[in-house]
Amino acid sequence: MSVKPERRPRRRRAYALRLVLLAATLTALVGCIGWWNRAPVAVFSRSPVYGDSPLSVFFDARGSYDPDGLVAEYRWAFGDGSTGIGANLSHTFDTPGDYEVELTVVDDGGRSASTIRVVSVVDPDAPPGVGVELGDAAPDFTLDDLHGEPVSLSDYRGYVVLLDFWASWCLPCRQSMPHLEALRAAYAGDGLVLIGVSQDETLQEVTEYVSAHGLGEMITLWQSEAAARSVRDLFQVGGIPHTLVIDRQGIIRHRGHPIRLRSRDIEPWL
C-alpha cells in the first residue's frame, strides 16, 4: 500500500520564503524612499555685513528651501557663543572680530544642510591698516582696461573681488583660468567680480587671449608691462598665477594659487 508524500512542510517553507522576500522588498523600498529625500538648501542674507561695534545684524533665511518637501527648522550659531531658532531674527555682536555665522536647516524628512557667512565687526577707533596680508585693507591702484578706460580697485568696493595676476604666456595661468571663470559665473549673482591684472608685454597679446577663450566677463586690466608689474609688486606677488579674495569692505581674506581656490574661500564673504 503506497502512502502520499507529506506536502505541508514544503508549503510552509514556500510561505516562509515569500515572507522573507516581502520583508526584503519592503526594506529596500523604505531605503529608496529615504534615498530620494533630497537634502534642503540653506541660504541666508545678513544686513549689514560689516560695521562698528556694537553691531546689530538682521538675518533672513526665508530663501532656504527643500526641493521635495518643506523646511521644518532653522538653527543659528552666531560665532560668539550665541544661538537662535527661526527663519529670520536679529543679533547684536558686542565686540570686534570676524564672526562665522552658521545656518542649519532641517527638512520634514529629517535631512539637514548648513551654510556659513561672515559678519565683520570693527573697532571704530582702530580700523584695519593698508597692507597685503590677510586682514589688511588692500592697497588701491588704477590701471586701464582693454578699452583704455581707467579702472580702480576701489571702484568695486561693495563687491567681493577675485584679483588675479596672470599672463597669456604662463601655462599654469591658462590652466587655472577656466576654474576662476567658473567661480565667477557661479557667484556673479551674489556680487562676485573677477579682475585680472595681465602681465603680458603687449595689449594685443592680452586682447587676443581674452577674446579667444571667452573671458569677456573678466575685468581685464593692462596699461603697460611696467604698470602691471608695479601693481604686482604692490601686492608682493612673486610667481604667477596668484589670486586674492577681497571682501566687500576691501579687506584681504585669502591669497594663493588660484587652482586651490574653493567655494569655501569665497562664500563666507558674499
Side-chain angles (χ1 to χ4, degrees):
M1 182 177 177
S2 61
V3 179
K4 291 183 178 180
E6 179 61 53
R7 294 183 178 273
R8 287 186 178 178
R10 184 181 297 175
R11 290 175 179 172
R12 289 172 180 167
R13 286 195 296 271
Y15 180 69
L17 179 59
R18 285 197 295 270
L19 288 177
V20 170
L21 291 174
L22 178 60
T25 301
L26 289 174
T27 300
L29 180 60
V30 171
C32 287
I33 292 172
W35 183 79
W36 279 109
N37 177 25
R38 291 181 291 172
V41 177
V43 178
F44 73 90
S45 62
R46 69 260 195 245
S47 180
V49 301
Y50 176 94
D52 295 342
S53 62
L55 183 67
S56 293
V57 181
F58 177 72
F59 297 93
D60 189 348
R62 287 174 293 183
S64 301
Y65 64 94
D66 182 39
D68 53 7
L70 298 172
V71 175
E73 190 173 356
Y74 302 81
R75 304 172 186 164
W76 300 87
F78 295 108
D80 59 356
S82 301
T83 59
I85 295 176
N88 53 83
L89 40 71
S90 295
H91 181 72
T92 299
F93 299 88
D94 293 319
T95 57
D98 291 328
Y99 295 94
E100 291 191 347
V101 179
E102 182 174 20
L103 167 69
T104 300
V105 296
V106 183
D107 69 15
D108 51 359
R111 294 198 68 177
S112 63
S114 299
T115 189
I116 292 175
R117 295 290 185 270
V118 172
V119 171
S120 296
V121 183
V122 298
D123 184 343
D125 298 321
V130 176
V132 296
E133 301 300 327
L134 300 186
D136 290 343
D140 198 17
F141 66 89
T142 302
L143 288 174
D144 287 351
D145 65 15
L146 298 186
H147 304 288
E149 297 295 328
V151 174
S152 298
L153 179 61
S154 57
D155 293 341
Y156 291 92
R157 186 66 56 85
Y159 292 85
V160 177
V161 175
L162 299 184
L163 179 63
D164 184 53
F165 293 87
W166 69 287
S168 65
W169 47 259
C170 163
L171 178 59
C173 300
R174 298 199 303 268
Q175 291 172 333
S176 62
M177 194 60 73
H179 175 58
L180 287 176
E181 170 56 22
L183 289 170
R184 183 209 64 77
Y187 296 109
D190 297 309
L192 181 73
V193 297
L194 172 59
I195 298 177
V197 179
S198 172
Q199 306 294 300
D200 283 285
E201 294 183 1
T202 67
L203 178 61
Q204 182 179 355
E205 290 174 324
V206 185
T207 303
E208 289 180 351
Y209 185 87
V210 168
S211 177
H213 293 83
L215 297 172
E217 296 298 326
M218 178 172 69
I219 302 161
T220 306
L221 303 182
W222 188 92
Q223 190 164 315
S224 68
E225 187 180 17
R229 180 73 195 203
S230 68
V231 176
R232 177 176 164 183
D233 291 342
L234 176 66
F235 281 85
Q236 298 180 16
V237 173
I240 58 172
H242 191 87
T243 303
L244 295 88
V245 177
I246 302 172
D247 73 12
R248 298 181 190 274
Q249 288 72 45
I251 308 301
I252 298 172
R253 298 303 184 177
H254 173 90
R255 60 182 302 165
H257 196 293
I259 206 66
R260 292 192 288 271
L261 184 65
R262 295 292 181 265
S263 295
R264 63 176 177 267
D265 301 314
I266 299 171
E267 287 185 353
W269 312 106
L270 294 174

